[in-house]
Amino acid sequence: MTSIAVLIVEDHPIVSLGLTTVVSAQEDMSVAGQAARTEEVFEQLSTLAVDLVIIPLRFEGENKGLEICREIKAMPRATKVLMYTSFTSPSDATLAFLSGADSFLTKNQSQASLLETIRSTAVGKKVWITGLDSDTTARDLDDRINSSLLTKRESEVVGFVLQRFSNAEIARELYISVTTVKSHVSNAFQKLGLRNRRELFAHEDDS
């Protein structure tokens, strides 16, 4: 039986221990490594054989999980990423999707659900469980993003917009001009059938 090598990214010791215990107890899984800091994530990915990374949305006191996920998925041989988080809103799932996560699971789900999600994600299936009954508008936004033809850059820009970044702040984060940011925002909104940021946030705030 092929073992799924898992890298556990978690800065909360108790959560990290719990994940390690659960994963290690499975015959078809193994803990390849653990990381409690951002630099440790990439150090271990460069030296270990990892099939899947479990990472929280909030990491090191910030929403660094999204940034780490984007960096992992930008690597030449991107590892599967499972976003495992206590954040349950549909907009958080959307942000994870835009950051390239392969699956999204909230921490209020059962252990069985976690293990099944790990197995499904490892073989290329996407699993998105937010733990809440999503409002119609929030589901509609996720559906639009999934069915749209957003470029990678447009997806990144929409992710920053959802986090309330201004055009100038997005430009600084992506090392591009404000004019280019505006162009990406305009193109992305057109593809999503949105006229402005107010309509985008309406999907989030109604959830």
Side-chain angles (χ1 to χ4, degrees):
M1 180 181 295
T2 302
S3 179
I4 302 169
V6 179
L7 172 60
I8 296 173
V9 179
E10 179 58 66
D11 55 2
H12 194 295
I14 295 178
V15 177
S16 180
L17 176 60
L19 284 171
T20 300
T21 301
V22 169
V23 171
S24 299
Q26 310 308 307
E27 292 184 358
D28 60 340
M29 299 179 194
S30 63
V31 177
Q34 296 170 269
R37 297 194 306 274
T38 300
E39 59 268 24
E40 292 176 348
V41 177
F42 297 100
E43 286 174 2
Q44 297 201 45
L45 284 175
S46 67
T47 58
L48 301 174
V50 177
D51 299 309
L52 181 141
V53 179
I54 299 177
I55 187 169
L57 191 149
R58 190 167 182 80
F59 186 64
E60 294 185 323
E62 304 175 38
N63 286 356
K64 278 194 175 181
L66 298 171
E67 180 181 340
I68 293 172
C69 181
R70 285 195 294 269
E71 291 189 37
I72 291 174
K73 302 311 287 189
M75 296 172 72
R77 299 182 66 178
T79 306
K80 297 286 192 303
V81 175
L82 164 58
M83 191 72 71
Y84 186 55
T85 177
S86 56
F87 290 76
T88 59
S89 78
S91 61
D92 291 321
T94 299
L95 285 171
F97 172 81
L98 290 169
S99 298
D102 296 282
S103 293
F104 182 96
L105 183 71
T106 53
K107 292 179 179 178
N108 59 358
Q109 298 299 307
S110 67
Q111 177 178 309
S113 181
L114 169 62
L115 295 173
E116 182 58 33
T117 299
I118 291 173
R119 293 184 178 105
S120 295
T121 305
V123 296
K125 296 179 181 178
K126 288 184 177 291
V127 180
W128 294 85
I129 303 176
T130 64
L132 293 176
D133 291 329
S134 304
D135 183 85
T136 300
T137 54
R139 289 201 307 270
D140 177 59
L141 177 57
D142 284 340
D143 289 343
R144 290 189 195 188
I145 290 173
N146 275 289
S147 62
S148 69
L149 297 176
L150 293 184
T151 65
K152 180 181 177 181
R153 182 64 88 190
E154 288 167 354
S155 294
E156 287 180 325
V157 168
V158 172
F160 281 118
V161 171
L162 277 168
Q163 295 176 78
R164 295 329 204 252
F165 278 59
S166 68
N167 286 342
E169 290 171 331
I170 296 172
R172 285 195 295 271
E173 288 288 329
L174 298 178
Y175 300 100
I176 58 179
S177 70
V178 173
T179 300
T180 301
V181 171
K182 289 180 180 178
S183 177
H184 286 315
V185 170
S186 176
N187 291 337
F189 280 14
Q190 183 176 5
K191 291 179 181 179
L192 293 172
L194 302 172
R195 290 175 295 182
N196 50 45
R197 293 185 183 222
R198 187 178 297 107
E199 289 190 358
L200 179 67
F201 292 135
H203 288 276
E204 177 185 37
D205 296 335
D206 287 344
S207 62

